[in-house]
Amino acid sequence: MKPNDTFYFFFRFLAFDKFLPLKPSKLIIIAAFCLLAFNAGDIKSDYLIPPSPQSIFCADIDLDNDIDIITGHSSPTWGGCGILFNDYNGNFSLNDSLFFENGFPEISGDYFDNNIFIDIFSRNVTTNPYTINIAVIYNYGLTQFDSIKLFPIYPEPPVPFITSGDVNGDGFNDLLFAYNNDFLWGIIYNDGTGNFSLPEYYDLTFPPIDMACCDLNDDDRYDVVISGLKTEIYFSTENGFQQLVLTTTISHDILISDFDNDEDKDIITHTTFTNPNHRVYFFENIGNNLFFEHDYFQFTPFCQYGRISDFNNDSLPDLIFSAQDNTGLYIYNNKGNFQLEFDQFISIENYGAYLKRIFCNDFDGNSYNDIATIRSGGDNLPSNLNIKFNDGEGNFVNNPITKIKNQESKVNNSIDCYPNPFKTSITIELSISRKSLIKLEIYDINGNQIKVVLNKLVKPGMYNLIWNGEDEKRKEVINGLYFVRLNSDGKIHTQKVMKIK
């Protein structure tokens, strides 16, 4: 179906006006296949999605080997989420727009029901009686997101911070939350089918401002990090949680990444120190549940939301922030040894709105991470989703980069993986058409390198390689989705594989 003005305004009428009288917890799916791209000439960077987006999450929702976009919305006029599918070349169309009363302000995704499709979750509020829930939209791979469950977690405001991870190490991702009014955090455990337990609560001595979840000590149990007036880690063990006070420095955002590329997860926090100064704090994971605090990095002007992403493909993740004055984005390159250096400011037209959350991923398939930013603050914006495409040469442009590298790799090489899904090991079959420098790597769903299977110069021919489902430390990886990435003389080809029980 081709876009036209009549169909576009019909959608606006349905989505933004007709939804208001609906009863709580009634889910409506509308406008499948409707294109909402707002393009100025040939520019592919601006899109008009439902109003007041509050959050953004990006992943391969339909498993077609490209990165899709999911946005969370919450405002007096519209609440729910938008699901935009990528055409494999960095052009997006709105597949579904899901209305849900009181909205989905903090959208994210993870695997909950033991299939290979990533599910969507957010917090949600219902009334009569007032209840705060975590809502999960289950993805069954049919591009019809019409199955949703609410899991009550608390009876009082305010709405919490939420995250996910396999806290008890049973192979199933759990859901976590934190409340700043009542100084507590909690968890609901996944039973493996996508249903969750009643909440368990844990007291804090300060109001939390953010939380994150990650396996910090390689024991296959996700640990909990909470920030606010201080930053604390709760290490998950078989006998409960072990608390570590990381710092008493105030922070309002937690970022977790292998920042020094030494195969463990470090913790980065940031906060506005004194206007106009912003500070970034680095905590290096040195093993045995210990962290070393490096000197902070201070810069001006102060910013708000932050993300970690490797923009120049040097294996060192960089930092990006949205400006407090909503004028654009600041990128700081990771120079190694927990040192940052200003790289560039990317101006973004805000149309008088707020630049809200940002998300980084490779949307156009040229092997460089791009930047998606949402605008919020008005229902009549000409566009409220912006994408800046990374050309690999330090520039962020308004149009997707052509996928020449991927297309050439398909001509010269082929890759096949079987059995897929696999339980213990998988065969990776390579067909190499000419003498090439081959690097074959395994990555997890977050883009973290798990293992280098092969890195050498090879002659033309057929090669069968075995990955036994272990990382570089010979530790079995958890069940889930992984990416087998073949780099041959700079040409990239990627295939998804699924490890199951």
Side-chain angles (χ1 to χ4, degrees):
M1 181 179 295
K2 296 182 179 180
N4 58 69
D5 290 342
T6 301
F7 193 57
Y8 169 71
F9 285 109
F10 174 68
F11 171 79
R12 290 291 304 272
F13 176 73
L14 281 177
F16 307 156
D17 296 326
K18 286 292 187 179
F19 278 167
L20 295 180
L22 293 179
K23 299 294 184 181
S25 73
K26 183 175 182 181
L27 177 67
I28 300 295
I29 302 177
I30 65 169
F33 314 115
C34 175
L35 296 177
L36 283 185
F38 178 85
N39 300 329
D42 292 330
I43 293 176
K44 309 293 185 182
S45 62
D46 277 322
Y47 291 83
L48 184 60
I49 58 177
S52 298
Q54 303 294 317
S55 57
I56 181 171
F57 172 74
C58 302
D60 187 2
I61 292 295
D62 52 358
L63 296 188
D64 64 348
N65 211 31
D66 56 28
I67 301 299
D68 309 303
I69 294 176
I70 302 93
T71 54
H73 304 253
S74 182
S75 77
T77 58
W78 205 88
C81 76
I83 302 172
L84 293 91
F85 281 169
N86 193 339
D87 73 348
Y88 188 70
N89 294 301
N91 302 301
F92 291 88
S93 60
L94 191 77
N95 173 270
D96 277 324
S97 182
L98 314 180
F99 173 83
F100 206 79
E101 191 169 68
N102 297 310
F104 287 79
E106 291 294 330
I107 208 80
S108 192
D110 213 331
Y111 299 93
F112 296 123
D113 54 358
N114 205 27
N115 66 23
I116 63 175
F117 297 96
I118 195 167
D119 305 306
I120 302 166
F121 70 95
S122 182
R123 64 189 189 221
N124 176 262
V125 176
T126 54
T127 55
N128 298 321
Y130 182 94
T131 306
I132 299 175
N133 312 282
I134 297 180
V136 179
I137 304 172
Y138 291 93
N139 180 3
Y140 300 117
L142 303 175
T143 65
Q144 296 177 358
F145 301 91
D146 53 1
S147 177
I148 187 169
K149 290 183 180 179
L150 298 182
F151 299 98
I153 54 175
Y154 211 66
E156 300 175 4
V159 290
F161 309 98
I162 60 173
T163 188
S164 64
D166 181 11
V167 176
N168 56 3
D170 63 357
F172 306 114
N173 290 313
D174 310 304
L175 287 163
L176 300 96
F177 52 90
Y179 286 90
N180 52 23
N181 267 23
D182 288 341
F183 293 23
L184 61 83
W185 67 276
I187 183 170
I188 53 176
Y189 288 99
N190 188 350
D191 69 358
T193 67
N195 292 304
F196 292 82
S197 69
L198 294 175
E200 295 182 3
Y201 302 105
Y202 298 90
D203 291 329
L204 296 167
T205 59
F206 62 95
I209 300 177
D210 194 19
M211 75 180 310
C213 191
C214 181
D215 183 3
L216 295 171
N217 51 14
D218 292 327
D219 64 353
D220 290 334
R221 304 172 73 97
Y222 276 49
D223 309 298
V224 183
V225 185
I226 298 176
S227 67
L229 297 177
K230 60 181 78 171
T231 301
E232 296 181 340
I233 301 174
Y234 290 84
F235 292 102
S236 175
T237 74
E238 292 183 358
N239 299 316
F241 293 96
Q242 294 181 353
Q243 179 187 6
L244 170 68
V245 177
L246 194 64
T247 178
T248 56
T249 301
I250 298 174
S251 294
H252 68 231
D253 206 0
I254 302 170
L255 304 170
I256 298 180
S257 174
D258 183 4
F259 206 70
D260 53 356
N261 197 23
D262 66 349
E263 299 184 357
D264 56 25
K265 293 294 190 295
D266 309 299
I267 297 174
I268 295 91
T269 66
H270 66 94
T271 189
T272 301
F273 179 63
T274 302
N275 188 2
N277 298 312
H278 203 87
R279 280 188 179 180
V280 181
Y281 301 93
F282 305 99
F283 303 93
E284 180 185 359
N285 190 340
I286 57 177
N288 297 316
N289 291 358
L290 298 174
F291 288 79
F292 175 77
E293 183 173 0
H294 288 262
D295 292 338
Y296 61 79
F297 176 76
Q298 182 166 297
F299 64 91
T300 300
F302 72 94
C303 294
Q304 41 187 346
Y305 305 108
R307 276 283 179 181
I308 292 180
S309 183
D310 183 4
F311 292 113
N312 53 11
N313 285 4
D314 64 353
S315 299
L316 291 172
D318 310 305
L319 281 170
I320 182 171
F321 299 95
S322 58
Q324 181 71 23
D325 63 4
N326 303 300
T327 57
L329 308 169
Y330 289 90
I331 294 180
Y332 290 87
N333 277 346
N334 184 348
K335 306 304 292 183
N337 197 30
F338 295 90
Q339 301 292 313
L340 294 178
E341 179 180 79
F342 174 71
D343 177 68
Q344 62 180 296
F345 172 75
I346 303 173
S347 178
I348 295 180
E349 176 62 60
N350 59 37
Y351 301 113
Y354 299 101
L355 292 185
K356 299 292 283 188
R357 301 303 175 96
I358 53 182
F359 207 101
C360 305
N361 215 313
D362 179 13
F363 299 116
D364 54 3
N366 72 333
S367 301
Y368 288 91
N369 285 333
D370 311 305
I371 306 165
T373 308
I374 52 175
R375 308 177 179 96
S376 183
D379 290 354
N380 297 309
L381 300 178
S383 69
N384 50 3
L385 168 65
N386 177 269
I387 303 173
K388 295 297 184 185
F389 295 95
N390 187 345
D391 68 358
E393 299 178 357
N395 305 304
F396 290 87
V397 299
N398 289 329
N399 289 304
I401 308 301
T402 55
K403 303 177 65 154
I404 295 175
K405 289 184 179 181
N406 276 22
Q407 292 166 356
E408 288 178 353
S409 69
K410 291 179 181 179
V411 173
N412 295 327
N413 311 310
S414 67
I415 180 173
D416 191 21
C417 301
Y418 57 88
N420 190 15
F422 72 100
K423 292 184 177 181
T424 56
S425 65
I426 188 168
T427 298
I428 305 170
E429 183 179 87
L430 305 180
S431 176
I432 307 301
S433 62
R434 58 187 176 89
K435 189 175 182 180
S436 304
L437 178 62
I438 294 295
K439 189 172 186 180
L440 186 67
E441 305 162 282
I442 311 296
Y443 285 83
D444 67 13
I445 187 67
N446 296 315
N448 300 309
Q449 186 188 80
I450 300 299
K451 185 178 181 66
V452 178
V453 179
L454 180 69
N455 189 12
K456 64 183 295 186
L457 188 69
V458 300
K459 298 179 181 180
M462 299 292 296
Y463 296 86
N464 286 334
L465 305 169
I466 304 295
W467 179 43
N468 60 0
E470 296 180 349
D471 62 15
E472 292 287 5
K473 299 177 182 179
R474 297 184 177 179
K475 186 175 183 179
E476 184 180 358
V477 300
I478 64 174
N479 297 327
L481 184 66
Y482 294 88
F483 297 88
V484 180
R485 172 171 161 162
L486 171 65
N487 188 328
S488 173
D489 295 332
K491 303 176 180 68
I492 306 296
H493 186 72
T494 304
Q495 185 162 334
K496 299 183 187 72
V497 298
M498 175 63 67
K499 185 177 185 298
I500 60 175
K501 284 191 173 183

